[in-house]
Amino acid sequence: SLVRFRIPVPPPSRERYPLYRLLLFVPAPFGQTFAPGLVSLFLLRFAKEELGLEPLALGGLLVLGGGAAFLLLPFTGRLVDRRGYQAALVLGLFLLALVMARLGTGPHPYELPAAALLGGLGFSLFLPGWNGLLAKNLPQENRAAIWGSLMTVEGLGLALGPVAGGLLWEAFGLRAPFLAGSGIFLALSLLYLLLFLLSWKNIELLADMKNRSAHWNMGLGNQLGKSAYGGGFRTNHLALIIVCDRVLVQLIQGFDENTDMTERMRVFLK
């Protein structure tokens, strides 16, 4: 009986995720921990010597910025769901770069609450934008492995940031790590802006090619139809190739393998 007959189906092979695509995701997880790590060791000293803040005042500013990010995340996350992650990711990185650059140039104490709020806004935009980028572009079958690799990169940035920050502090002073962190965030913002612009350009090009192809095929079909109804099937070699491509399966079915291709075309075109 054929009821119990089963054709063995091989398990689907899991393709390896291309390395060059993974490299496009590496800068953001590394930079988002490396840049803050540059200033983590001497933040209290910088606040006291450069900004004239006591530890309690610095803690209040950190709570202000973190609270702003926490309260804004539901709204920025909804914005990313509706409008896409590209603008949120680029703008969030740019705002973080702006805040670190202002801290590195010696802001007035009255500017610090605004800088904390702006930093909270930047982080609240960056986080859903970054998660949206991963969710939209990572393949389902390799997502866990790739996400684990990116988290390893985050840990590497967190470990190397204080080391590089200490070297910059010793060589150029307390403000150098802030300016370096600002440069990193700005470079990330420009990098992903460029990638998104190139992606949008490719999408527009593909859409234009698809529209041109649709119009050309429609015009070709009309021309072939007019020629056929006019009493003779007249077409050029390119049109013949297209017809052969579209009806290849129908041409093969119903003939044995010894039948000449010209005979197949003649019977089909009748």
Side-chain angles (χ1 to χ4, degrees):
S1 176
L2 295 178
V3 176
R4 298 182 179 180
F5 179 74
R6 295 291 184 269
I7 300 177
V9 178
S13 59
R14 179 173 296 182
E15 298 182 359
R16 297 182 60 184
Y17 194 72
L19 180 61
Y20 72 92
R21 292 185 183 178
L22 181 60
L23 294 178
L24 297 178
F25 298 101
V26 169
F30 180 80
Q32 68 172 314
T33 55
F34 181 79
L38 291 173
V39 301
S40 60
L41 288 181
F42 52 87
L43 186 60
L44 287 174
R45 182 173 179 179
F46 175 82
K48 187 173 183 61
E49 295 182 3
E50 298 291 333
L51 303 178
L53 296 177
E54 295 297 330
L56 185 60
L58 177 61
L61 290 174
L62 294 177
V63 170
L64 178 63
F70 177 77
L71 294 176
L72 290 173
L73 272 173
F75 302 99
T76 54
R78 184 176 300 178
L79 181 65
V80 168
D81 289 336
R82 293 181 177 179
R83 303 293 183 180
Y85 58 85
Q86 293 89 345
L89 179 60
V90 173
L91 182 59
L93 290 170
F94 178 77
L95 291 178
L96 293 174
L98 187 64
V99 170
M100 292 199 73
R102 188 65 188 116
L103 292 176
T105 55
H108 195 277
Y110 294 108
E111 300 178 24
L112 295 178
L117 293 175
L118 197 61
L121 174 61
F123 184 77
S124 69
L125 288 171
F126 165 76
L127 189 60
W130 170 242
N131 290 332
L133 174 66
L134 295 180
K136 292 290 186 180
N137 294 279
L138 292 185
Q140 186 68 34
E141 60 272 13
N142 302 111
R143 182 167 297 179
I146 298 175
W147 216 307
S149 301
L150 296 179
M151 293 181 68
T152 303
V153 173
E154 290 181 2
L156 182 63
L158 188 62
L160 296 179
V163 178
L167 295 176
L168 290 173
W169 176 22
E170 290 291 337
F172 304 103
L174 283 175
R175 297 186 179 184
F178 284 92
L179 298 178
S182 174
I184 291 173
F185 279 130
L186 181 60
L188 290 175
S189 177
L190 296 178
L191 171 65
Y192 286 103
L193 176 61
L194 178 62
L195 292 177
F196 294 151
L197 289 178
L198 293 176
S199 177
W200 289 332
K201 188 66 176 179
N202 291 336
I203 291 175
E204 293 176 356
L205 180 61
L206 291 175
D208 182 68
M209 293 175 61
K210 183 178 180 180
N211 292 333
R212 289 176 181 269
S213 176
H215 289 304
W216 186 81
N217 289 337
M218 185 179 298
L220 177 62
N222 293 335
Q223 181 179 0
L224 293 178
K226 292 179 181 179
S227 300
Y229 283 110
F233 191 87
R234 301 182 299 272
T235 182
N236 53 28
H237 295 289
L238 182 60
L240 184 59
I241 293 174
I242 295 174
V243 173
C244 292
D245 179 70
R246 292 182 176 179
V247 301
L248 181 60
V249 176
Q250 299 180 19
L251 288 176
I252 294 176
Q253 293 177 348
F255 299 95
D256 55 45
E257 60 182 6
N258 296 323
T259 306
D260 184 68
M261 179 57 71
T262 305
E263 179 64 19
R264 299 183 186 184
M265 286 293 300
R266 185 184 65 79
V267 173
F268 178 79
L269 292 177
K270 281 183 177 184

